[in-house]
């Protein structure tokens, strides 16, 4: 059982500062210890609500509303929920009706430089920075938007503080509830932010902003690589697929069946038309490309938890794999088989799940750069090229496309938890193109992932400089 520090018991004054809420979390989570540390700093501490501006004081939790989704980008705006704000790739965001968004929900429109805080559910307390490419997105009512007053505080510095280990305990220390956890915007407004001077705050802000711009460039790069592949192959028509506008697959007939599969979904006419269109250009199959590599699931193994500073590695599962910064558990690699790691430019496809539109099942990501240090669960389909003519980065540009995503979904097998049919997935057509074209597309993907890694380095450096500033003005180490 977790208890408070015996030498530092909860005091009556603390309860007053918590509005007489009789919950233990703020005291056990370290929130009050962090507050006292910040109060000892030799610099000014300012309530967050005095540093924000805009509508409703700049700290906004939108109203409950009936969500109307659309499929046509011309009539919709990208919609970010408390889980989606963690994503590295926003291509798959749902579209909220533009009429509703611009008329009744204008307060939920995001602005570059805002800090987002998820306010309810499993993800309560997570923070994200609004990148330049998110400026025309809308947020849900489950997200608190914090709009800094640029005349009072640099947006990147405010985000760095809220996302730091100090901000972590202060934000999450205010979580309340049992079955469904919540954070009150009023609590967020009372968080005190230390001011270290223009020079220090500007340096931290610039690092955070540069990281945001690099992540926007990552998004642009991988999107351009996919568009380049389909355009060069003469398959531009597949880029604007409009899957849901094609009608449902009802009353179709399929003859010449074999023992490979008898499931109707595997013969879905809409998906088969995609396969035929891909096969209409010069191609090889995915099975042929991966013949000397790998096209299968990872190894199953027992997880042995370990401390991150004792040789442990982070284990990435399907939920965390698509976040900007994964938060998987730490395990001992010595107690696991070698197959938990992935080679450079392995394409990982989420291979187990359900068929919901917002589920990650059949969505891919690329293992490269710093992500080669992580371990991966067996729930991914590992696509490793065995043909030097087809780099993993090139395959990723293809597999992340909407047409191939729909093709993979049509190859589902299983009951509640779906998997991707072992034989059918080998038949996916891979456009050949010329060597110059393939190299160009792969280079675009590689450059994008390097920008993503560089963004992580800059953000980590910003947090390190914040730690240094706290230690300097506290007169002691903060660890």
């Amino acid at each position: 059982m977790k208890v408070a520090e015996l030498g530092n018991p909860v005091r009556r004054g603390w309860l007053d500062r918590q509005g007489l809420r009789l919950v233990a979390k703020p005291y056990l989570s370290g929130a009050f210890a962090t507050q006292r540390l910040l109060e000892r700093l030799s610099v000014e501490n300012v309530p967050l609500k005095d540093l924000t501006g805009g509508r409703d004081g700049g700290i906004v939790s939108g109203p409950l509303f009936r969500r109307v989704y659309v499929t046509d980008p011309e009539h919709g705006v990208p919609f970010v929920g408390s889980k989606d704000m963690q994503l590295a790739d926003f291509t798959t965001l749902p579209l909220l009706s533009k009429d509703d968004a611009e008329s009744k929900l204008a307060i939920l429109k995001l602005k570059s430089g805002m800090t987002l805080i998820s306010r309810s559910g499993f993800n309560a307390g997570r923070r994200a920075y609004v990148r330049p490419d998110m400026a025309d997105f809308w947020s849900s009512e489950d997200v608190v938007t914090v709009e800094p007053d640029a005349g009072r505080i640099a947006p990147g510095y405010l985000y760095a503080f809220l996302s730091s280990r100090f901000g972590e305990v202060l934000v999450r220390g205010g979580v309340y509830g049992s079955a469904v956890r919540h954070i009150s915007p009023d609590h967020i407004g009372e968080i005190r932010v230390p001011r270290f001077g223009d020079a220090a705050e500007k340096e931290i802000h610039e690092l955070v902003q540069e990281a945001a711009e690099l992540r926007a460039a990552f998004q642009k790069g991988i999107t351009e690589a996919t568009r380049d592949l389909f355009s060069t192959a003469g398959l531009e028509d597949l880029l604007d697929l409009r899957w849901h506008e094609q009608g449902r697959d009802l009353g179709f007939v399929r003859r010449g069946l074999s023992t490979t599969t008898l499931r109707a979904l595997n013969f879905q006419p809409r998906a088969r038309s995609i396969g035929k269109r891909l096969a209409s250009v010069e191609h090889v199959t995915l099975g042929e490309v991966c013949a000397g590599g790998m096209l299968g699931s990872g190894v199953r193994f027992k997880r042995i938890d370990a401390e991150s500073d004792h040789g442990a590695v982070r284990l990435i599962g399907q939920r965390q794999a698509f976040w900007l910064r994964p938060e998987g558990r730490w395990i001992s690699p010595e107690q696991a088989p070698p197959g938990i790691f992935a080679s450079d430019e392995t394409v990982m496809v989420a291979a187990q799940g359900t068929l919901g539109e917002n589920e990650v099942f059949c969505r891919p990501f690329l293992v490269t750069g710093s992500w080669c240090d992580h371990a991966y669960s067996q729930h991914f389909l590992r696509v490793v090229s065995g043909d030097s003519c087809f780099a993993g980065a090139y395959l990723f540009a293809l597999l992340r496309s909407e047409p191939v995503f729909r093709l993979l979904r049509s190859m589902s097998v299983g009951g509640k938890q779906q998997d991707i049919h072992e034989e059918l997935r080998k038949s996916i057509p891979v456009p050949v193109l010329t060597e110059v074209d393939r190299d160009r597309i792969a280079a675009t993907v590689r450059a994008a992932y390097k920008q993503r890694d560089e963004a992580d380095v800059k953000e980590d450096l910003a947090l390190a400089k914040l730690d240094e500033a706290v230690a300097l003005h506290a007169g002691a180490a903060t660890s």
Side-chain angles (χ1 to χ4, degrees):
M1 180 178 68
K2 190 172 184 179
V3 297
E5 299 175 22
L6 296 179
N8 190 25
V10 176
R11 294 172 172 80
R12 175 65 171 77
W14 295 9
L15 298 176
D16 290 335
R17 292 174 62 178
Q18 278 293 106
L20 298 179
R21 284 171 48 205
L22 299 179
V23 292
K25 186 174 180 61
Y27 314 113
L28 299 182
S29 66
F32 269 87
T34 300
Q35 287 180 8
R36 292 197 307 279
L37 168 66
L38 297 177
E39 288 167 0
R40 292 199 304 269
L41 296 179
S42 58
V43 295
E44 182 184 14
N45 282 282
V46 182
L48 177 58
K49 62 185 179 182
D50 294 339
L51 300 172
T52 56
R55 281 190 165 184
D56 294 348
I59 303 177
V60 176
S61 175
L64 290 171
F65 63 94
R66 175 173 166 267
R67 301 178 183 182
V68 178
Y69 295 110
V70 298
T71 58
D72 189 341
E74 294 182 5
H75 299 290
V77 294
F79 184 60
V80 178
S82 58
K83 181 174 66 173
D84 301 322
M85 69 187 223
Q86 303 289 328
L87 294 176
D89 182 358
F90 289 128
T91 305
T92 61
L93 286 180
L95 298 176
L96 189 69
S97 167
K98 182 180 290 187
D99 288 342
D100 288 352
E102 294 180 345
S103 60
K104 299 180 290 186
L105 304 170
I107 194 173
L108 297 179
K109 185 179 181 179
L110 300 184
K111 298 178 183 178
S112 178
M114 281 182 168
T115 293
L116 307 182
I117 302 176
S118 53
R119 63 177 291 266
S120 64
F122 177 81
N123 295 310
R126 297 189 188 277
R127 284 85 63 214
Y129 190 67
V130 178
R131 310 179 327 214
D133 59 331
M134 298 170 63
D136 292 324
F137 290 10
W138 258 251
S139 68
S140 79
E141 71 277 10
D142 294 321
V143 175
V144 176
T145 57
V146 179
E147 182 179 354
D149 183 339
R152 301 177 186 175
I153 191 169
Y157 168 70
L158 177 59
Y159 168 75
F161 175 73
L162 292 176
S163 64
S164 69
R165 59 194 180 100
F166 309 107
E168 171 82 10
V169 294
L170 293 176
V171 171
R172 290 184 181 261
V175 174
Y176 64 92
S178 53
V180 180
R181 298 184 296 175
H182 290 274
I183 293 178
S184 168
D186 293 338
H187 162 76
I188 294 171
E190 296 299 326
I191 293 175
R192 302 190 74 84
V193 181
R195 307 305 306 273
F196 296 113
D198 292 342
E201 293 182 10
K202 180 181 178 183
E203 183 180 18
I204 293 171
H205 160 74
E206 289 177 348
L207 287 168
V208 170
Q209 188 61 34
E210 287 170 7
E213 291 169 357
L214 284 167
R215 286 167 177 160
F218 161 79
Q219 176 77 80
K220 180 180 179 182
I222 59 175
T223 302
E224 285 183 350
T226 298
R227 180 167 293 278
D228 187 2
L229 191 158
F230 278 78
S231 297
T232 304
L235 299 169
E236 298 95 333
D237 52 302
L238 290 180
L239 289 171
D240 189 21
L241 189 60
R242 303 295 176 93
W243 176 263
H244 294 290
E245 297 177 17
Q246 296 179 27
R248 299 177 64 186
D249 299 296
L250 300 174
F252 60 89
V253 177
R254 174 67 179 176
R255 303 188 185 280
L257 300 179
S258 69
T259 56
T260 302
T261 177
L262 296 176
R263 189 178 189 185
L265 178 63
N266 301 152
F267 303 103
Q268 194 175 31
R270 284 181 294 171
R272 290 185 66 81
S273 66
I274 294 173
K276 290 178 180 178
R277 185 70 181 93
L278 287 170
S280 67
V281 300
E282 184 182 359
H283 70 280
V284 292
T285 65
L286 188 61
E288 292 170 340
V289 172
C290 298
M294 183 178 182
L295 186 60
S297 300
V299 294
R300 295 179 181 273
F301 62 98
K302 183 178 181 181
R303 281 78 157 151
I304 305 298
D305 292 321
E307 297 294 332
S308 58
D309 54 352
H310 286 78
V313 295
R314 192 188 297 275
L315 177 65
I316 307 298
Q318 289 189 138
R319 183 175 61 193
Q320 303 91 3
F322 299 91
W323 293 354
L324 270 176
R325 307 298 292 268
E327 300 178 8
R329 63 196 284 191
W330 293 85
I331 65 167
S332 170
E334 297 178 356
Q335 305 296 321
I340 63 174
F341 295 103
S343 58
D344 188 30
E345 293 201 6
T346 297
V347 182
M348 294 283 198
V349 182
Q352 293 181 352
T354 56
L355 296 169
E357 279 298 300
N358 295 323
E359 301 298 326
V360 298
F361 175 55
C362 294
R363 296 288 183 190
F365 67 95
L366 186 67
V367 176
T368 188
S370 62
W371 282 59
C372 291
D373 298 330
H374 300 320
Y376 297 90
S377 73
Q378 73 272 16
H379 304 295
F380 295 104
L381 170 64
R382 297 171 180 237
V383 183
V384 180
S385 175
D387 186 338
S388 59
C389 294
F390 296 90
Y394 176 79
L395 295 178
F396 170 73
L398 174 69
L399 293 172
R400 69 174 296 276
S401 68
E402 181 70 8
V404 176
F405 166 72
R406 296 298 174 184
L407 197 55
L408 284 167
R409 279 281 179 101
S410 76
M411 297 175 179
S412 301
V413 293
K416 171 61 177 176
Q417 289 293 315
Q418 303 292 297
D419 206 330
I420 304 173
H421 196 288
E422 186 172 349
E423 291 299 321
L424 295 179
R425 64 197 184 202
K426 296 179 183 179
S427 65
I428 295 175
V430 178
V432 172
L433 306 187
T434 66
E435 182 178 358
V436 173
D437 292 332
R438 294 195 302 270
D439 289 346
R440 182 186 65 252
I441 293 165
T444 302
V445 172
R446 290 172 184 142
Y449 269 89
K450 285 180 180 178
Q451 290 171 318
R452 177 175 172 175
D453 270 356
E454 187 179 348
D456 292 346
V457 171
K458 287 184 178 293
E459 185 174 270
D460 289 343
L461 181 57
L463 295 177
K465 289 188 176 297
L466 179 65
D467 270 1
E468 291 172 5
V470 172
L472 176 64
H473 291 280
T478 59
S479 59

